[in-house]
Amino acid sequence: MHKQVSGERAHILSQRILDIPETLYQRRSLEASLHLFHSPGQKIKFSQAEGASPSALSRFFNVYDWDSDRCWDEMQDIQWRILLDVAHSKRRPRLRLSVDLTTLEKVGTQLPYVSVYNGRHGIHLVALFAEYGALQFSISYRVYQGKHTSTPVTLALDLLEGVRHLDFEFVVGVRSNRRTDHPGRVTVADCPHGGYVNLANWSLETLSLGRVDRGDREFFAVSSELLEGDEIVAEGAHRWGVESFFKEGKHQFGLAQFALRTARGLDRWILMVFLAFTLTMLHRSEGMTLKEAARLALYTLFPVVRLNHLLSQLQKEREFLLQHGYSLSYARCKL
């Protein structure tokens, strides 16, 4: 059921994404971008794109007014629909959410939102990652913009605000110094394992708390469902998924390679990373590498991209073929 539902939704998403650009010129740039970001492990360079020039892609990311906000909406709509479809048989489905901060280490001041946080210089992203069973999605993000702006905690709460209306329960990790609404300076570190807490600056209802000692550190998680403390800890132990995404997003899907100089470019770059990761996860089977799954997703959902790639390869070999007495021609057949 999971593969069937996911496959249908993935096809719907791919068609909606391709329909967003209003001009053929911009659609070609989108197709070229999809090809670049579905190439895990390869450095993303606009100069290596097929079907669009580097300058065209630069304008596509930084300048043109194609509706990338709609692209975010379409992707997130499909992500939540898949999660709901797969979880529909559960009386109270429990979605595992991870909200964490990662840094794209950058130097200089020409890139957008570069600042210093916890001694690290770069672009600081707070990302929302969702898991339900084998499903894994990078959903959305916020950017920490430095001193005197919204803190990473506030940004994390903002990401979580829209989840409960979907009727999911969630377990999410919290820091030991997270304030509660008790009088005085009471943090979650002062509250008992399995107890109930109300977090300060938290618009949702009472949560239950789990805590676990890992030797030199103690970890905390809260649940929207009033679970036993040990159940919360067991769920919280699975938060490695977001760490895995940060690693794969940076090193496999080009997140760390961002080097555009506009905030719009950053948002669209992250969009392509999240979209490529989502579609890759929907096509990945046990034993399949990320590269294999990404290629399968690309060629299954965007066949025109594969066709353009094949035609481009043939054109590159045109001179070689002519030297050996072969001519090259192709025509589209109606099926």
Side-chain angles (χ1 to χ4, degrees):
M1 180 64 178
H2 158 58
K3 285 297 181 184
Q4 179 181 354
V5 170
S6 299
E8 292 173 356
R9 296 293 188 187
H11 275 284
I12 292 172
L13 174 58
S14 66
Q15 291 307 305
R16 289 180 178 177
I17 294 298
L18 286 179
D19 287 341
I20 288 175
E22 296 181 355
T23 69
L24 178 60
Y25 185 78
Q26 292 178 11
R27 178 168 175 146
R28 287 175 178 170
S29 293
L30 174 58
E31 291 170 351
S33 301
L34 290 168
H35 191 275
L36 283 177
F37 282 86
H38 279 82
S39 303
Q42 298 183 24
K43 188 172 180 61
I44 296 177
K45 295 181 179 179
F46 288 170
S47 60
Q48 296 178 346
E50 297 178 357
S53 67
S55 59
L57 286 183
S58 179
R59 292 191 294 271
F60 180 72
F61 276 82
N62 294 306
V63 179
Y64 290 148
D65 288 327
W66 63 280
D67 197 351
S68 51
D69 288 341
R70 180 182 159 199
C71 193
W72 276 108
D73 291 341
E74 296 287 3
M75 182 183 70
Q76 292 166 357
D77 177 68
I78 291 295
Q79 288 171 329
W80 291 124
R81 287 180 183 274
I82 291 175
L83 290 165
L84 288 167
D85 284 344
V86 175
H88 78 283
S89 61
K90 302 292 184 179
R91 186 175 67 87
R92 298 196 71 186
R94 187 183 304 155
L95 174 67
R96 181 178 298 124
L97 295 179
S98 297
V99 184
D100 208 348
L101 181 142
T102 190
T103 298
L104 310 182
E105 297 192 15
K106 303 293 179 181
V107 297
T109 59
Q110 294 183 325
L111 301 184
Y113 304 126
V114 171
S115 63
V116 178
Y117 183 72
N118 286 342
R120 303 183 70 185
H121 194 280
I123 302 172
H124 310 288
L125 305 178
V126 180
L128 173 63
F129 189 80
E131 298 177 79
Y132 187 87
L135 290 171
Q136 296 185 344
F137 295 136
S138 48
I139 301 287
S140 54
Y141 78 99
R142 297 290 185 270
V143 181
Y144 172 62
Q145 300 184 34
K147 292 182 179 179
H148 311 301
T149 67
S150 297
T151 66
V153 171
T154 302
L155 296 174
L157 292 175
D158 181 45
L159 288 170
L160 288 171
E161 283 292 332
V163 174
R164 289 306 307 282
H165 77 277
L166 296 171
D167 201 29
F168 276 111
E169 303 292 347
F170 62 84
V171 174
V172 62
V174 294
R175 298 178 62 178
S176 61
N177 60 356
R178 182 70 172 87
R179 294 281 299 278
T180 70
D181 67 355
H182 290 84
R185 192 174 183 83
V186 179
T187 68
V188 296
D190 302 313
C191 301
H193 176 66
Y196 298 155
V197 297
N198 289 86
L199 301 180
N201 302 317
W202 178 264
S203 60
L204 303 180
E205 66 276 15
T206 299
L207 306 168
S208 51
L209 174 70
R211 54 193 297 166
V212 59
D213 190 348
R214 296 297 189 195
D216 59 336
R217 292 185 64 189
E218 194 169 16
F219 294 89
F220 302 83
V222 292
S223 169
S224 59
E225 185 178 3
L226 301 183
L227 303 174
E228 296 293 330
D230 290 345
E231 291 181 276
I232 300 171
V233 169
E235 286 294 326
H238 292 284
R239 69 177 303 278
W240 60 268
V242 68
E243 299 293 343
S244 178
F245 163 68
F246 285 154
K247 180 179 179 180
E248 292 169 346
K250 288 180 179 180
H251 303 294
Q252 299 293 323
F253 291 94
L255 182 60
Q257 297 171 26
F258 171 75
L260 304 179
R261 298 184 180 182
T262 67
R264 171 181 280 183
L266 174 65
D267 181 71
R268 290 172 173 177
W269 188 280
I270 296 174
L271 168 64
M272 290 298 164
V273 172
F274 280 27
L275 179 62
F277 182 83
T278 295
L279 295 176
T280 296
M281 291 299 104
L282 290 177
H283 286 79
R284 191 178 190 183
S285 300
E286 186 176 355
M288 186 179 290
T289 67
L290 276 175
K291 185 174 183 179
E292 291 169 342
R295 287 295 179 182
L296 177 61
L298 181 70
Y299 293 158
T300 300
L301 301 174
F302 308 103
V304 68
V305 176
R306 184 180 188 184
L307 175 61
N308 289 338
H309 173 70
L310 293 174
L311 294 179
S312 175
Q313 293 300 114
L314 287 174
Q315 287 292 348
K316 291 178 181 178
E317 299 296 334
R318 188 183 189 92
E319 191 65 31
F320 171 81
L321 293 172
L322 289 174
Q323 291 175 1
H324 290 79
Y326 294 93
S327 63
L328 176 65
S329 63
Y330 49 85
R332 181 172 182 176
C333 302
K334 292 184 178 180
L335 300 178

